[in-house]
Amino acid sequence: MPKPIYVLNGPNLNLLGEREPEIYGADTLEDVRKRCKIRAAAAELTIEFHQSNHEGELIGWVQEARTKASALVINPAGYGHTSVALLDALKTLEIPIIECHLSNPAARERFRRFTYVSLAAKGVVSGFGVMSYELAIDAAAALVRASA
Ligand code: CA2
């Protein structure tokens, strides 16, 4: 069995489904976790799913993924736009990194158009709500398969 795909979620995503459904949809983060699990299972893979409001905790999971994951899907949320430390951690990984966003940051405020995470990501999936995560899992699974 290949190593799991790590799925990491940044600050405030624990509030999914409770606030701003017009931007982020009505699904909760638990709904997102279940859909990622199903999508990974379809490719005979498993996931490790985490969320934190703390930069250091996210960086800890990124470092863990260096040896324990086959790929990493990350919605860095606000830290994508601000965190050089998260980028530095991501750049130590040799596995594929897929950045994903529920909304399409490029169609929103100007400050959302840049993310540090994109500098380390193989690709970015944005704007499809929870489906962004499913497409990111599909991409991760295809890359894992291709490197096996
Ligand atoms: O669209 C995305 O997934 C974002 O990563 C979400 C971030 C935002 O800073 C990025 O530009 C795009 C914000 C996450 C906040 O999550 C909330 C969820 C429910 C209610 C309020 C905030």
Side-chain angles (χ1 to χ4, degrees), residues 11-13 15-20 24 75-78 81 100-105 108 112 133:
N12 299 306
L13 288 167
L15 299 178
L16 265 189
E18 290 179 29
R19 307 282 294 272
E20 302 189 74
Y24 300 118
N75 182 348
H81 308 301
C100 84
H101 298 277
L102 294 153
S103 66
N104 177 4
R108 299 178 62 192
R112 295 187 200 277
Y133 283 78

Side-chain angles (χ1 to χ4, degrees), residues 3-4 23 45 64 68 72 80 89 93 103 117-118 146:
K3 294 173 184 173
I23 301 176
L45 291 169
E64 194 177 288
K68 295 199 172 155
L72 184 135
L93 298 186
S103 66
V117 168
S118 296

Side-chain angles (χ1 to χ4, degrees), residues 2-3 13 15 22 39 43 48 73 81 89 99 104 122 130 136 142 144 147:
K3 294 173 184 173
L13 288 167
L15 299 178
E22 67 287 358
R39 202 65 165 223
E48 277 282 331
V73 170
H81 308 301
E99 178 178 358
N104 177 4
K122 181 90 179 158
V130 185
V144 170
S147 71

